[in-house]
Amino acid sequence: MAIILDCSIAAASIRTEIAEAVSKSVAQGNRPPGLVAILVGEDGASQTYVGAKKTACDEVGFAGDVRRFAADITETELLAEIEKINQDETIDGLIVQLPLPKHISEEKVTQAILPAKDVDGFHDINMGKLAKGDESGVKPATPYGITLLMKHYGIDASGKHVVVVGRSNIVGRPMSMLLSAAAPYGNATVTLCHSRTKDLGEVCRRADILVAAVGRPEMITGEWVKPGATVIDVGINRIERDGKVKLVGDVHFESAARKAGAITPVPGGVGPMTIACLLANTLTACCRAHNLPEPKGLTA
């Protein structure tokens, strides 16, 4: 049976390091990092996610704030609120919780955030820096969190064959760039796949490290897992089974766990790492804005 990669433990160690860095900085007379999350509408899942982020901010000593707006806010009004936050020197990080109502362009909103405050790492400038291997950019939080999870458990990507299933700009593409980069967390040979990849199961079976982020419930079964491989499941899907709604990943956990050497569970997967790395990105943004030393332990 595979080793369970407990993301909660890894994320807690990151939050502890961030809290210690913030406490030391505040004791030296600096203000705490400021992180704002914008929530539009009443989506239940989004409210849960934003609430978890606010709780994490409080835990590490950030000045965290949630700004809630009605679902009928206009795109122009929302963009104006983002610009106010861009100009506020007490705020280091800004998150706009997705999805947004259909009348608001997620692309316009994402690109309106100042790149230095884009702690989700979605802005084109940050994505471009990631593609170039420029460490001055902001790494997307979930892929960044996966590299720190691997570091925590001593999983080295160098020289390994990594298969990433899913080509989204949020996880799949940036994950492939990070793990193939000439960096301590990278140096892997990466194959980026998707639902239309020919002989996908055969490609997955060649992976030393398999990252599933395709958004299809339990698509990847144990038959697709190389014995001893590391399996990282990013998917969160709601399905109905036995008359109940259940959360499952993109990987069929039971069958994959019998083949893998290590695996992340769902639920209980990479979500805590994403939140921890939003905090890490915010702390880094604060340090850069005030020419303070960046914490060394938050690199993979």
Side-chain angles (χ1 to χ4, degrees), residues 50 84 171 243 270:
V50 168
K84 288 180 186 177
V171 181
V270 299

Side-chain angles (χ1 to χ4, degrees), residues 108 232 250 267 291 295:
K108 284 185 181 179
I232 298 172
D250 293 347
N291 295 314

Side-chain angles (χ1 to χ4, degrees), residues 17-243:
E17 184 169 351
I18 292 171
E20 290 173 352
V22 171
S23 178
K24 181 178 179 180
S25 179
V26 170
Q28 293 172 345
N30 301 307
R31 65 164 178 80
L35 175 60
V36 169
I38 287 179
L39 178 61
V40 179
E42 302 292 333
D43 180 79
S46 292
Q47 292 193 61
T48 299
Y49 297 147
V50 168
K53 292 166 186 175
K54 177 62 167 66
T55 299
C57 282
D58 295 342
E59 180 182 338
V60 300
F62 281 15
D65 186 23
V66 178
R67 301 190 182 178
R68 293 177 168 84
F69 299 97
D72 61 357
I73 187 174
T74 68
E75 183 178 273
T76 299
E77 289 169 335
L78 182 57
L79 291 173
E81 293 292 337
I82 290 171
E83 183 55 27
K84 288 180 186 177
I85 295 170
N86 283 341
Q87 300 302 320
D88 189 336
E89 294 184 357
T90 68
I91 298 171
D92 304 293
L94 170 59
I95 303 161
V96 178
Q97 186 65 44
L98 304 178
L100 292 169
K102 292 182 179 179
H103 67 280
I104 298 176
S105 166
E106 292 185 357
E107 177 68 11
K108 284 185 181 179
V109 167
T110 298
Q111 300 309 314
I113 300 171
L114 199 66
K117 296 188 179 187
D118 166 41
V119 292
D120 268 322
F122 295 162
H123 195 284
D124 285 353
I125 287 177
N126 287 321
M127 290 293 286
K129 288 185 174 183
L130 177 64
K132 289 177 62 179
D134 184 344
E135 292 287 332
S136 70
V138 182
K139 298 183 182 75
T142 298
Y144 176 24
I146 290 170
T147 64
L148 291 183
L149 176 69
M150 292 168 61
K151 176 186 177 182
H152 181 86
Y153 282 100
I155 300 167
D156 186 7
S158 183
K160 303 288 180 60
H161 182 201
V162 176
V163 172
V164 179
V165 185
R167 53 184 168 180
S168 75
N169 291 327
I170 295 174
V171 181
R173 293 184 191 276
M175 189 81 260
S176 69
M177 288 188 279
L178 279 173
L179 293 179
S180 62
Y185 49 78
N187 292 308
T189 299
V190 179
T191 302
L192 180 61
C193 300
H194 44 82
S195 59
R196 296 190 181 183
T197 298
K198 186 177 180 181
D199 297 327
L200 179 57
E202 183 58 35
V203 176
C204 291
R205 276 190 287 272
R206 296 197 293 267
D208 301 307
I209 300 171
L210 178 59
V211 181
V214 72
R216 295 194 177 187
E218 299 181 330
M219 175 181 174
I220 296 171
T221 67
E223 294 180 356
W224 290 14
V225 176
K226 178 181 179 180
T230 296
V231 178
I232 298 172
D233 190 353
V234 186
I236 301 179
N237 309 284
R238 287 174 172 83
I239 64 170
E240 187 171 328
R241 182 174 290 164
D242 300 326

